[in-house]
Amino acid sequence: MSQPDVLHQAFELGFTYTRSTGPVVGRFLTELKQRNIVGIKGSDGRVIVPPMEYDPDTAEELSEFVDVGQEGEIVSYAWVKEPREAHPFDKPFAWAMILLDGADVPMIHCVAADSEDAVSTGARVKAVWAEETIGFITDIRCFERV
Amino acid sequence: MSEQTTENTDVITGIEAPIYLKYNFTAGAAPARFLTQVKEGVLTGQRCPQCAQVYVPPRGSCAACGVPTEEEVVLSDKATVQSFTIVSIPIPGNSIEPPFVVANLVPDGANISFIHLMSECDNADVHIGQRVQGVWKPQEEWGYSMDNIRYFKPLDEPDVPVEKIGKIPVEGWEG
């Protein structure tokens, strides 16, 4: 029998979830909307950003919010040469672990830079806010070198 | 929480977190062959060289024997109801208004059922062993799709006893 052309069809499956933030992440996002970054104090005194509801060591419920700085230091990073559709930029950028001033735990976010050479461990970066903040992690559009 | 936040800011309690999975579904050789002929208004299956079961739609191999199925068999658009369900709850994205009947139908000449709609009948009268025939769209609307058949409607033929469902030759059912 003759072989036909192989047929194909685009198909998109969407899971349109709405997630409850809980009180602690909700507070973090509410503060982002006001262009402020908060962490939470763990049972050993260290400041965790983004804040967690329960202490990672003791499972104690945490509630002591702490403002942290909008600048920090790159602890480690990965340079993305070919951004994918879901990425925050359509040009190369870095994912970085950023230790914000006043925090004891680094937070992951994106760093905008013209080239990989412009990103390095130990580099100082600052938060760049979105024009309109909505209470989402993308309210911090990115970090860039100070 | 709310008492700790500054005025004029709604407290965030939820976020939109959709996940979209984008597929490019490839039919494969046997289903592509099947759909190419459905486009011409012909239902076809494939016969297993070992157990002689006729699969529709064909997948290119026999699930029971694990061997390729290459012999193509032309089937009838007359079929027998093997099982069915009456759908009463609307399905998101489905334009058909419930209640409607979805049935597993074995076309004459095949041994395996496929799923399609039934209509032109009272839902309460649909039953296992019932004889049905495909109602096709106008030819100019035919594409690579089983939707070329709008639905199956009852035939005025005697019911097929349960033990004979799936064993009717392509010539049809004499009763």
Side-chain angles (χ1 to χ4, degrees), chain A residues 9 11 13 15 19 27 34, chain B residues 4 6 19 21 23 25:
Chain A
Q9 173 84 53
F11 174 68
L13 181 60
F15 297 97
R19 290 185 184 276
R27 168 72 181 269
Q34 298 167 79
Chain B
Q4 296 183 14
T6 313
I19 296 168
L21 306 178
Y23 292 95
F25 183 82

Side-chain angles (χ1 to χ4, degrees), chain A residues 58-96:
Chain A
T58 67
E60 185 189 336
E61 195 171 341
L62 301 177
S63 59
E64 196 183 332
F65 288 95
V66 181
D67 282 349
V68 297
Q70 303 200 355
E71 292 187 12
E73 181 182 315
I74 294 177
V75 175
S76 68
Y77 68 94
W79 183 250
V80 180
K81 285 188 186 133
E82 294 172 21
R84 306 189 66 171
E85 197 182 331
H87 281 165
F89 295 100
D90 54 11
K91 58 172 191 156
F93 70 100
W95 288 119

